[in-house]
Structures are given as structure tokens and as C-alpha cells.
Amino acid sequence: MKSSVRVEWVDEDKARRLYVGRRNAAARKAREIDPTRSATDVVGVDDNLWDWVEMDEAVETRNFPSLGMAKGWAEKNFTRDVFETPRVYRNEWPDEGSELEAETVVQLEYQAGSWVDLATS
């Protein structure tokens, strides 16, 4: 049986870069279409980061050789996740198969100093 282990987290810095880029592009486009139009007509001052960026777009992933190493890294770096809840996944697939056939066998989330098994909760 082959396997892979990874940590996933929602990177706020990446989301913020996407957000700023999209807001700026929208404001530029609005000025191109109608130079008299205010950028605030298109880009509101109260806009939320997640109104402009899909959560999946801000996900970062790092692979590890073992579940223990992945959990250790996630515990040490949990603040990289915007919600401080990084996730660890372990996927397995047959030796003669491909990773496209992988099944997720471990799904853990780090919450307030402990690990929660997402498969059982």
C-alpha cells in the first residue's frame, strides 16, 4: 500500500494578496469603463476579504514523510492558518494503482491544542 501525508491550512497572506489584487483590478476596470465613476462604487470600503476570495484559493499544502512529522509541524505552525486549525490528511492507494485512486484514511484537525478526528466527529 502506498500513501501520502500532507498538512493543509488557509493562508491569510495569500488570501489578502488575492483580495488586494482583485479589488485594484476592479477599480481600474471601473475607471476604464467610466472615468467619472468612483472606485468606491465598485469596491466598497466595508468589503470582506472572503467576498473577493474563495477559501479554496487560499489553501496551502505541505507534504511530509510521516503522520507524526506532519502533526508536529502543524502544531508548531498552527498560526499560519487563518482559523488556527490546520488539517492533516493521510491518503492510501494500492501498490499497483495510482494516486488518483487514493482513499483518505486519516483526517485530523488541530483545535485549541488537541487533535480532532474529522472522520468520527
Side-chain angles (χ1 to χ4, degrees):
M1 196 58 89
K2 292 182 181 179
S3 67
S4 67
V5 177
R6 73 183 187 281
V7 175
E8 286 186 357
W9 67 96
V10 179
D11 189 316
E12 185 173 13
D13 291 336
K14 183 177 182 178
R16 191 147 314 278
R17 285 190 307 274
L18 289 167
Y19 169 66
V20 168
R22 289 176 183 169
R23 282 178 49 116
N24 291 343
R28 273 193 311 276
K29 188 67 173 177
R31 283 191 298 273
E32 286 174 16
I33 294 170
D34 182 0
T36 63
R37 188 173 182 189
S38 168
T40 56
D41 289 345
V42 176
V43 180
V45 291
D46 294 332
D47 285 356
N48 183 306
L49 169 80
W50 303 114
D51 292 337
W52 289 79
V53 178
E54 292 294 325
M55 192 102 30
D56 291 347
E57 295 176 291
V59 170
E60 290 287 335
T61 302
R62 183 169 177 179
N63 294 320
F64 288 88
S66 72
L67 196 57
M69 289 178 73
K71 287 172 66 176
W73 186 89
E75 288 174 13
K76 184 177 178 182
N77 296 286
F78 74 95
T79 57
R80 287 187 179 206
D81 185 87
V82 69
F83 305 108
E84 298 187 351
T85 57
R87 293 180 176 197
V88 173
Y89 298 94
R90 180 185 171 112
N91 294 336
E92 293 182 350
W93 61 95
D95 288 333
E96 60 283 344
S98 76
E99 197 168 350
L100 297 173
E101 303 171 35
E103 180 180 327
T104 302
V105 294
V106 174
Q107 299 177 45
L108 304 173
E109 185 174 82
Y110 190 69
Q111 297 178 0
S114 62
W115 289 99
V116 174
D117 186 345
L118 298 176
T120 60
S121 58

